[in-house]
Amino acid sequence: MNFKQRLATLIDFPVKDEREIENLLMEIEDPKMGDFALPCFKFAKELRKSPVVIANEFAKTVKKDEIVEKVEAVNGYLNFFLNREKVGEIVLGEIKTADNYGKSNIGNGKTICIDYSSINIAKPFHIGHLGTTAIGNSLKRIYTELGFKIVGINHLGDWGTQFGKLIVAYKLWGNTVDIDGGGLKELQKIYVRFHVEAEKNPALEEEAREWFAKIEQGNREALKLFEYFKKITLDEVKKVYDRLDVKFDSWDGESFFNDKMQPLLKELRQKKVTEISDGAEIIDLSAYDMPPCLLVKKDGASLYATRDMAAAVYRKKTYDFYKCLYVVALQQNLYFRQLFKALEIAGYDWAKDMVHVAYGMVSLEEGSMSTRKGNTVWLTDVLDKAVEKALNTINEKSPDKENKEQIAEEVGVGAVVFSALCNNRMKDIVFSFDRVLNFDGETSPYIQYTHARCCSVLEKAEETKTQKPDYSVFNNEESVVLLKLLNIFPEKISEAGEKYEPSIIANYLIDVAQAFNKYYFENRILGDDNDKQAARLMLVRSTKDVIAKGLYLLGIKAPQKM
Ligand code: ARG
């Protein structure tokens, strides 16, 4: 229930605008002072009275409602104390339909394309891809919860001159035995070697260009190798995606748009939006204080932007999106502003529906893993190490636990994902294994642990047969704090969706876990009279359901035991 909305209906102001009052109402942090407060300062001028007097007068005229226990005027604020029994009954009643709690239909009939992860073929799947993969996956789940239809797109980087280099390197130093066995790391090795050798022998660069031209012309040998590199990459990244429980609806990468660029360019020329500058074809953006959007190079080659423009047009045609999101590092901010502006100039009115969901950089804490210059930190290695550390902790805490490996996988991988989601996404983060795996910190292991604690209480509880849960057990601060938090879960989901900000859910879950643990330590849940226990168990179950769904929305598993 939206308590603010309900409270707003109780106040008979001369200013007859419930919306305004709803917006003015604020949550009180300290439950001793009440639950919601209405600051009366804004009305002083109009009513020609001091806020203190106004608050006092209003306190007397507030309409009665079963959810309000009492109202108090304090220093120009009108403080509402909710009836905690009623709050319990209402909130827990709403969460009962666990699956639906938080679901909404605001997205019904609308499609959102999310371009995320978008790795590059034959290049490392490294820690830098964590942000886009985790944020994209979480947004996908959040919007699905809000009723949108989602098209998750891995816009593969599978085009460009680097494939010519890779072919040359492969022919000189590669073989299928090593590469089938060593995968991406092996491809990376010969690719790096190419650059070292090309320094000494520039002819290699020329050879690479020729091979890339052959790929473009559809030469069979070149294409076969290209497809081989692609397969090696995809087989390997799919294993990582499985661990992260990330799925895509489309893998249409850059090469998919090869045959879609010419028709687009033709259209742009007809509309006279491109021009030739220094032999290259561009869209001039000087009126917008941006460098031009380069579409065709002097030598006739297309660019990243050309393929992205073709991809945008294709997505609109194919999916008729309501919005198209690009979860890509903040470094590409200018690039996306150029791209969106170019689309707008080209006359696509839907350019306004494109959003660059940018995020900051992840770096590793010194010494936590080899980050020496030029050394790639592979995402799988980070996951492995986190899982290993989680397993160590579990071994220390409860060596006899069943299913330890599985739990460690869910905790370790979850902790890495959570680290990419718990801060405002624009913020740069320094990743530390010890910090993200701290079971008592503001971490996902802490949230998962709280969830497992709820499960364990519920498991121990005997089936209580009661017709009438006794909500009077919620007559204390810890209960009402927790109940009010559970109550705002749906709002948090919409807010996270509106702001493209999974961190809103991540932080919310930390609050819920902390509030629950406080509740848990101060209330005996099992063993009281049946009706009371029933009410408390409802609260535990609701907390468990909210945490489980919240973690799901972040792309993190919620083990039953830990
Ligand atoms: N593959 C690119 C990179 O690693 C990201 C692609 C993002 N998506 C896009 N449509 N441009 O930088």
Side-chain angles (χ1 to χ4, degrees):
M1 162 176 299
N2 188 329
F3 288 121
K4 289 187 189 173
Q5 212 170 55
R6 174 111 165 217
L7 293 176
T9 63
L10 305 180
I11 301 167
D12 248 336
F13 278 113
V15 202
K16 261 260 160 223
D17 184 356
E18 283 175 11
R19 267 316 281 197
E20 189 189 351
I21 293 175
E22 190 188 327
N23 289 335
L24 279 174
L25 277 164
M26 24 185 246
E27 212 154 322
I28 301 179
E29 286 237 350
D30 179 3
K32 281 187 193 57
M33 309 286 298
D35 296 292
F36 293 94
L38 180 74
C40 298
F41 305 92
K42 259 197 92 174
F43 309 108
K45 203 169 156 198
E46 194 182 326
L47 301 179
R48 297 161 171 272
K49 283 177 195 163
S50 82
V52 174
V53 172
I54 298 173
N56 286 336
E57 285 181 3
F58 288 159
K60 287 180 209 125
T61 57
V62 169
K63 284 187 223 151
K64 291 250 172 303
D65 183 313
E66 55 174 11
I67 68 153
V68 180
E69 184 74 36
K70 61 170 178 180
V71 284
E72 250 173 28
V74 184
N75 298 333
Y77 287 88
L78 191 59
N79 291 354
F80 292 86
F81 292 75
L82 298 185
N83 176 315
R84 294 170 175 174
E85 280 182 45
K86 260 288 163 236
V87 170
E89 186 182 340
I90 292 171
V91 173
L92 297 180
E94 283 175 3
I95 305 179
K96 235 183 199 157
T97 45
D99 254 6
N100 282 321
Y101 189 60
K103 271 211 167 66
S104 125
N105 52 15
I106 54 169
N108 280 5
K110 297 187 180 119
T111 298
I112 296 183
C113 290
I114 311 182
D115 179 323
Y116 67 112
S117 201
S118 300
I119 50 131
N120 300 314
I121 296 298
K123 292 247 181 90
F125 191 2
H126 58 77
I127 182 94
H129 296 107
L130 175 62
T132 170
T133 309
I135 294 169
N137 186 46
S138 176
L139 290 178
K140 178 173 175 183
R141 292 179 182 201
I142 290 168
Y143 293 125
T144 305
E145 190 73 12
L146 294 174
F148 291 93
K149 181 175 181 288
I150 304 300
V151 185
I153 304 171
N154 197 326
H155 183 79
L156 296 175
D158 58 359
W159 203 247
T161 47
Q162 75 268 28
F163 293 100
K165 295 178 187 172
L166 203 56
I167 291 182
V168 174
Y170 176 79
K171 287 180 146 291
L172 287 169
W173 316 294
N175 63 74
T176 44
V177 178
D178 286 347
I179 291 173
D180 288 344
L184 272 178
K185 286 186 180 169
E186 199 58 35
L187 283 182
Q188 167 83 347
K189 206 153 98 192
I190 59 169
Y191 186 66
V192 169
R193 182 160 173 194
F194 175 90
H195 289 273
V196 175
E197 307 263 348
E199 289 265 306
K200 293 176 271 176
N201 178 10
L204 289 178
E205 295 278 1
E206 190 43 45
E207 245 179 84
R209 262 190 293 277
E210 280 162 20
W211 273 108
F212 180 60
K214 284 189 194 168
I215 301 179
E216 286 189 298
Q217 291 146 13
N219 170 291
R220 275 186 61 181
E221 187 188 1
L223 279 184
K224 213 174 127 198
L225 283 170
F226 172 70
E227 289 303 332
Y228 173 60
F229 301 144
K230 201 160 161 171
K231 180 175 177 337
I232 292 286
T233 310
L234 291 181
D235 284 351
E236 195 166 318
V237 296
K238 279 180 181 163
K239 285 187 202 136
V240 182
Y241 289 137
D242 278 347
R243 290 180 84 177
L244 297 171
D245 201 9
V246 166
K247 294 181 188 73
F248 298 95
D249 305 297
S250 157
W251 296 79
D252 293 338
E254 295 188 38
S255 70
F256 178 80
F257 298 100
N258 275 340
D259 60 356
K260 298 171 183 61
M261 289 182 286
Q262 279 319 318
L264 171 71
L265 286 166
K266 204 171 133 198
E267 185 185 328
L268 296 180
R269 282 167 200 147
Q270 272 164 4
K271 289 183 178 167
K272 297 197 186 337
V273 286
T274 65
E275 59 192 75
I276 303 297
S277 157
D278 272 343
E281 188 166 2
I282 61 160
I283 296 183
D284 179 31
L285 300 175
S286 56
Y288 308 92
D289 268 339
M290 289 190 277
C293 179
L294 188 52
L295 293 178
V296 187
K297 282 202 266 191
K298 229 189 228 159
D299 63 5
S302 64
L303 291 108
Y304 182 52
T306 332
R307 291 183 284 279
D308 254 332
M309 259 187 118
V313 172
Y314 175 85
R315 287 174 193 174
K316 184 66 195 178
K317 233 186 248 156
T318 312
Y319 308 116
D320 191 23
F321 57 72
Y322 157 75
K323 266 185 189 166
C324 179
L325 313 185
Y326 296 81
V327 187
V328 185
L330 185 57
Q331 284 106 310
Q332 295 191 34
N333 178 270
L334 172 62
Y335 169 76
F336 280 107
R337 285 195 294 124
Q338 289 175 290
L339 178 69
F340 300 163
K341 189 51 84 178
L343 286 164
E344 184 191 316
I345 292 173
Y348 300 115
D349 56 355
W350 44 263
K352 64 178 184 345
D353 305 323
M354 326 275 288
V355 184
H356 176 204
V357 179
Y359 61 91
M361 269 190 341
V362 191
S363 57
L364 272 91
E365 200 173 53
E366 202 59 51
S368 66
M369 240 170 143
S370 173
T371 50
R372 269 177 300 130
K373 230 183 172 168
N375 234 348
T376 305
V377 179
W378 298 75
L379 192 50
T380 48
D381 295 344
V382 175
L383 295 179
D384 285 345
K385 188 162 172 186
V387 170
E388 188 192 312
K389 285 187 170 255
L391 187 58
N392 289 344
T393 310
I394 296 170
N395 277 329
E396 278 163 28
K397 288 195 177 214
S398 35
D400 304 325
K401 189 115 280 172
E402 271 173 62
N403 244 335
K404 278 190 292 193
E405 274 74 21
Q406 175 69 25
I407 297 171
E409 173 76 15
E410 296 183 357
V411 172
V413 170
V416 173
V417 170
F418 192 80
S419 75
L421 301 178
C422 61
N423 292 301
N424 176 312
R425 63 184 153 76
M426 293 296 202
K427 200 172 144 188
D428 289 342
I429 50 177
V430 180
F431 180 90
S432 142
F433 284 100
D434 291 335
R435 195 167 50 238
V436 308
L437 284 161
N438 180 352
F439 279 48
D440 302 312
E442 300 192 342
T443 61
S444 58
Y446 173 70
I447 300 169
Q448 288 171 319
Y449 194 79
T450 308
H451 173 265
R453 170 172 275 161
C454 293
C455 292
S456 133
V457 173
L458 293 168
E459 200 186 36
K460 281 197 211 110
E462 306 212 341
E463 202 48 55
T464 32
K465 294 218 170 50
T466 178
Q467 295 303 311
K468 209 174 174 328
D470 179 354
Y471 298 108
S472 70
V473 294
F474 299 137
N475 243 321
N476 52 61
E477 287 173 16
E478 325 80 74
S479 299
V480 79
V481 167
L482 179 58
L483 284 164
K484 280 193 293 179
L485 268 173
L486 297 181
N487 182 52
I488 54 173
F489 186 43
E491 284 167 47
K492 291 285 170 182
I493 301 175
S494 338
E495 194 189 337
E498 269 160 37
K499 298 184 174 156
Y500 317 106
E501 210 31 291
S503 68
I504 288 172
I505 291 176
N507 291 319
Y508 167 75
L509 290 181
I510 296 282
D511 290 344
V512 171
Q514 286 172 347
F516 177 79
N517 287 317
K518 186 137 194 267
Y519 170 78
Y520 179 77
F521 286 116
E522 291 179 25
N523 293 272
R524 195 159 132 223
I525 294 163
L526 300 176
D528 209 332
D529 95 50
N530 251 3
D531 294 350
K532 289 186 171 147
Q533 173 173 307
R536 294 196 180 109
L537 282 173
M538 277 175 82
L539 180 54
V540 176
R541 183 179 305 280
S542 301
T543 306
K544 183 201 89 154
D545 289 339
V546 165
I547 294 182
K549 185 181 268 187
L551 284 173
Y552 171 81
L553 293 177
L554 297 178
I556 297 173
K557 297 257 164 62
Q560 304 267 331
K561 292 200 162 95
M562 250 172 91

